[in-house]
Amino acid sequence: MSMATKSQNRVSRQTWKYNEDVRIQGSAVVVGPKEGEGPLKDLFDKAYDDMYAGQETWEKAEKKLMEDAIKLAIKKAKLKDDQIDQIIAGDLLNQNITVSFTAEKMQFPTLGMYGACSSSMLTLSTASALVNAGYSNYIVAACSSHNATAERQFRYPTEYGGQKPPHSQCTVTGAGAAIVGLGGSGPRITYSTVGKVIDLGITDPFAMGAAMAPAAVSTIATHFIDTGRSPKDYDLIVTGDLGSVGYAICKDMLAKEGYNMEGVYNDCGLMIYSPDQEVFAGASGCASSASVTYSYIMNQLQSGKMKKVLVCATGALLSPISTQQGNSIPCIAHAVAFEGGK
Amino acid sequence: MSMATKSQNRVSRQTWKYNEDVRIQGSAVVVGPKEGEGPLKDLFDKAYDDMYAGQETWEKAEKKLMEDAIKLAIKKAKLKDDQIDQIIAGDLLNQNITVSFTAEKMQFPTLGMYGACSSSMLTLSTASALVNAGYSNYIVAACSSHNATAERQFRYPTEYGGQKPPHSQCTVTGAGAAIVGLGGSGPRITYSTVGKVIDLGITDPFAMGAAMAPAAVSTIATHFIDTGRSPKDYDLIVTGDLGSVGYAICKDMLAKEGYNMEGVYNDCGLMIYSPDQEVFAGASGCASSASVTYSYIMNQLQSGKMKKVLVCATGALLSPISTQQGNSIPCIAHAVAFEGGK
């Protein structure tokens, strides 16, 4: 490997370029009942009609969603389990238990990651970097969230029926998985921009969209600077789960930095549910960006309706113990640039 | 990059080979009072004489340990903060809060990982892969644990004074950090073997050494097969934190697979404390393997006393909610091969 080749992978401290033909070989999304009634329902691979997905506990239901998504993605990639080198995955539950139990069952070598709801693009970036450099032939990047497991862990058990403020968001019940490999005809992965942790002092665990917006702005602006691209170069730029409050903040902040996002910008948290579903300010959770990216966006790129898409997955590194101790919520966002397959 | 070069990075589904001159540029270990009285005390960079490390809470103390270790490692590598491309780090606390708050303060682009106590070699492997392939010039790999934060989260708050069984272990209070980069004269990183999640059905959250031993055996045996090496090729092979119970099980199991570990095998959990310190079956925690690797082992390699060392960091992916729901403890182990610098 020559120094010239190596320097091409590193664009900056935050941006990596993939010079090989790194592509999504197959992807799948499996969701819960509410998501299965939303506007993207026809693009999801499977929707369970109950929150337990036929399991005893919500935690086991979340594992079932992840396992289903991984199996379907491998099948759609026309691969067999033993052709998968590693799984790189994250979820919202303490100790990443969805990942651990799923990985144990499937017996893939495992790299666990944690980026809260940014895990979708964190895991996809790491998988792409390893495949591009020839460490692995095929890697599964996966993540999941479940409304009931997340609410119980981060706020209150849903059985309490606690009131939620209007700026709160609804954690998506779902899992998304993508198989990364070289060649084929799927959507290409061309750049990743790794985020910095940003903390502007928000301490309300319901106000995650507002807390995360500055992290999204930091990563998207850095991506533009590092790649020489601008909003015009993309058919679509999405953030992961800012919801309506964070979306407006993000758009305004980017405009102040000179980036006009009008007509090109959306938020996955605003795309999963329809306005008449009761979801407060929109969707959140690892599965928000994963569900939209690995269904609708892959579909748009594959069909040629879109040529370039930037997905900036946003994560509130929210910790109950830390907020109880009076600390604010550090946030991070990781972005991946896709190009239509051909 | 030619196909020939790429296939050299991939040895198998689990083992990566680093063909460039990937080396530890500097490393540091900062510990708490008990560790500062143990047999490795002269090799640690700093030891606090209280568990709070001058902070208000134990969680903030853990952050202080990680920040100190990172700053000292960067200083020992003779680098400046803005030469560091990323931090890749993990800790034991829910939502990886030690990493998030430390990364926010230091403003490095951040990749969060979770592998429980295997995080030391999980983060070092990922950092080495990215540096070897030219994505990054210098990466900090770091991890931490704190006895009081871990006991409260995983078992009982230490103030309760609950009795612990003799096979339980003592979570290390400490943090270790290493700067990975190309060139220089530090210890080389030559191979990583990524673990699979192994679960043999142990449900006792105090019996982690026994639970983790099969994961260590799986990774070490795979490393030998993939590299064509045997125990004789190493001056030292350590596991991360099996303690006395897990150590004996691991040694026996490897013997049954045909690997004689006599005279070459030790466990970091048996090296940090002296037998007269009250630590039950030995040390545990992310900081167990990190503290020993980034002080004693680096020192032995740098001085030429050892030529080849294999560190297999072991992680019990223990979750209180999962064990309360009757599930067993999935475990994983990741190994990194080092060679003496010259």
Side-chain angles (χ1 to χ4, degrees):
Chain A
M1 193 193 289
S2 72
M3 289 305 286
T5 305
K6 276 195 285 172
S7 63
Q8 286 170 21
N9 287 338
R10 183 188 186 279
V11 177
S12 77
R13 287 178 89 188
Q14 292 186 247
T15 298
W16 301 332
K17 183 164 190 253
Y18 307 120
N19 296 298
E20 301 296 321
D21 194 27
V22 180
R23 291 178 189 256
I24 302 285
Q25 307 293 313
S27 69
V29 174
V30 177
V31 298
K34 196 164 197 164
E35 297 71 21
E37 293 168 0
L40 299 180
K41 62 184 175 187
D42 294 335
L43 296 170
F44 295 145
D45 296 272
K46 187 173 179 179
Y48 282 96
D49 58 12
D50 81 305
M51 294 285 281
Y52 283 95
Q55 307 298 307
E56 293 162 11
T57 66
W58 290 325
E59 285 73 16
K60 285 184 181 170
E62 188 173 337
K63 285 163 213 161
K64 180 75 175 140
L65 296 173
M66 185 181 276
E67 191 187 335
D68 283 355
I70 293 170
K71 283 184 175 171
L72 286 166
I74 293 172
K75 192 178 170 189
K76 287 166 80 176
K78 299 190 171 60
L79 293 169
K80 295 208 162 70
D81 283 7
D82 62 6
Q83 291 177 277
I84 303 297
D85 281 342
Q86 290 98 33
I87 179 171
I88 303 184
D91 64 84
L92 288 182
L93 296 186
N94 293 340
Q95 293 85 42
N96 257 6
I97 51 169
T98 313
V99 173
S100 300
F101 283 99
T102 307
E104 194 277 326
K105 189 160 180 190
M106 306 200 74
Q107 281 297 294
F108 298 136
T110 305
L111 292 104
M113 301 201 83
Y114 188 77
C117 307
S118 75
S119 295
S120 59
M121 295 302 114
L122 174 65
T123 55
L124 189 67
S125 294
T126 308
S128 301
L130 293 171
V131 165
N132 183 65
Y135 292 103
S136 310
N137 295 330
Y138 298 107
I139 300 182
V140 180
C143 65
S144 67
S145 54
H146 188 292
N147 187 277
T149 63
E151 287 300 318
R152 176 164 61 194
Q153 180 178 286
F154 288 106
R155 298 174 198 89
Y156 302 102
T158 48
E159 299 96 324
Y160 286 5
Q163 295 283 310
K164 296 183 85 174
H167 61 273
S168 69
Q169 293 171 238
C170 175
T171 305
V172 171
T173 301
I179 315 298
V180 182
L182 293 188
S185 59
R188 276 195 69 194
I189 302 165
T190 52
Y191 288 100
S192 290
T193 299
V194 175
K196 290 182 184 180
V197 181
I198 309 279
D199 187 343
L200 295 191
I202 286 176
T203 56
D204 171 4
F206 287 108
M208 296 204 301
M212 290 189 289
V217 170
S218 165
T219 298
I220 292 171
T222 299
H223 177 80
F224 289 148
I225 293 165
D226 287 350
T227 60
R229 293 183 176 181
S230 72
K232 286 196 302 289
D233 290 308
Y234 286 101
D235 298 301
L236 177 67
I237 296 170
V238 292
T239 42
D241 57 347
L242 297 186
S244 54
V245 178
Y247 172 82
I249 296 170
C250 181
K251 201 172 165 184
D252 280 357
M253 285 179 74
L254 281 166
K256 279 178 190 147
E257 297 210 15
Y259 301 108
N260 178 6
M261 303 286 278
E262 203 60 48
V264 68
Y265 174 44
N266 208 339
D267 180 71
C268 298
L270 300 171
M271 299 165 76
I272 294 174
Y273 303 114
S274 62
D276 59 326
Q277 292 181 293
E278 287 177 16
V279 294
F280 306 95
S284 66
C286 290
S288 177
S289 56
S291 295
V292 174
T293 304
Y294 296 148
S295 67
Y296 171 74
I297 292 174
M298 290 304 111
N299 189 278
Q300 293 287 300
L301 290 165
Q302 194 73 57
S303 66
K305 286 178 196 154
M306 292 184 183
K307 287 203 168 61
K308 280 188 184 153
V309 174
L310 184 69
V311 177
C312 180
T314 36
L317 303 163
L318 171 69
S319 165
I321 196 157
S322 171
T323 50
Q324 283 158 14
Q325 289 178 350
N327 293 308
S328 49
I329 303 169
C331 296
I332 196 162
H334 302 291
V336 173
F338 297 90
E339 292 188 17
K342 61 163 189 310
Chain B
M1 193 193 288
S2 70
M3 289 305 287
T5 306
K6 277 195 283 174
S7 64
Q8 287 171 18
N9 288 338
R10 182 187 186 279
V11 177
S12 77
R13 289 178 89 188
Q14 293 187 247
T15 298
W16 301 331
K17 183 164 191 258
Y18 307 120
N19 295 299
E20 302 296 321
D21 194 27
V22 180
R23 290 176 190 258
I24 301 286
Q25 308 293 315
S27 69
V29 174
V30 177
V31 297
K34 197 164 196 164
E35 295 73 21
E37 292 169 0
L40 299 180
K41 62 184 175 188
D42 295 335
L43 295 170
F44 295 145
D45 295 271
K46 187 172 177 177
Y48 282 96
D49 59 11
D50 80 306
M51 293 286 280
Y52 282 95
Q55 307 297 307
E56 293 161 10
T57 65
W58 288 326
E59 284 75 15
K60 287 184 179 169
E62 187 172 336
K63 286 163 213 161
K64 180 75 177 140
L65 296 172
M66 185 182 273
E67 191 187 334
D68 284 353
I70 293 169
K71 284 184 174 169
L72 286 166
I74 293 172
K75 192 177 172 191
K76 288 166 82 176
K78 297 190 172 59
L79 293 169
K80 296 209 161 70
D81 283 7
D82 62 7
Q83 292 177 278
I84 303 298
D85 281 340
Q86 289 98 33
I87 178 172
I88 302 183
D91 64 85
L92 288 183
L93 296 187
N94 292 340
Q95 293 85 42
N96 257 5
I97 51 170
T98 313
V99 173
S100 300
F101 283 100
T102 306
E104 195 277 325
K105 187 159 183 189
M106 306 200 74
Q107 281 297 295
F108 297 136
T110 306
L111 292 105
M113 301 200 84
Y114 187 77
C117 307
S118 74
S119 295
S120 59
M121 295 303 116
L122 173 65
T123 56
L124 189 67
S125 294
T126 309
S128 301
L130 292 171
V131 165
N132 183 65
Y135 293 102
S136 311
N137 295 331
Y138 298 106
I139 301 182
V140 181
C143 65
S144 67
S145 54
H146 188 291
N147 187 278
T149 64
E151 287 300 318
R152 176 163 60 193
Q153 179 178 288
F154 289 106
R155 296 173 199 91
Y156 303 102
T158 48
E159 298 96 324
Y160 287 6
Q163 295 282 311
K164 297 182 83 174
H167 62 273
S168 69
Q169 293 171 237
C170 176
T171 304
V172 171
T173 300
I179 316 297
V180 181
L182 293 187
S185 59
R188 276 195 70 194
I189 301 164
T190 54
Y191 289 100
S192 290
T193 299
V194 175
K196 290 183 183 179
V197 180
I198 309 279
D199 186 344
L200 295 191
I202 287 175
T203 56
D204 171 3
F206 288 108
M208 296 203 303
M212 291 189 290
V217 170
S218 166
T219 299
I220 292 170
T222 299
H223 177 81
F224 289 148
I225 292 164
D226 287 350
T227 60
R229 293 183 175 181
S230 72
K232 286 195 303 287
D233 290 306
Y234 286 102
D235 297 301
L236 175 67
I237 296 171
V238 292
T239 42
D241 55 347
L242 297 186
S244 54
V245 178
Y247 172 83
I249 296 171
C250 181
K251 200 172 166 186
D252 280 357
M253 284 178 76
L254 280 166
K256 279 178 190 148
E257 297 210 14
Y259 301 109
N260 178 7
M261 302 287 279
E262 203 59 50
V264 69
Y265 175 43
N266 207 340
D267 180 70
C268 298
L270 300 172
M271 298 165 76
I272 294 174
Y273 303 113
S274 61
D276 59 325
Q277 292 180 294
E278 287 176 16
V279 293
F280 306 95
S284 66
C286 290
S288 177
S289 56
S291 295
V292 173
T293 304
Y294 295 148
S295 66
Y296 171 74
I297 291 174
M298 291 304 112
N299 189 278
Q300 292 287 301
L301 289 165
Q302 194 73 57
S303 65
K305 286 177 196 155
M306 292 184 184
K307 287 203 167 60
K308 280 188 183 148
V309 174
L310 184 69
V311 177
C312 180
T314 35
L317 303 163
L318 170 69
S319 164
I321 196 157
S322 171
T323 50
Q324 282 159 14
Q325 290 179 348
N327 293 308
S328 50
I329 303 170
C331 295
I332 196 163
H334 301 291
V336 173
F338 297 91
E339 291 187 16
K342 63 164 186 314

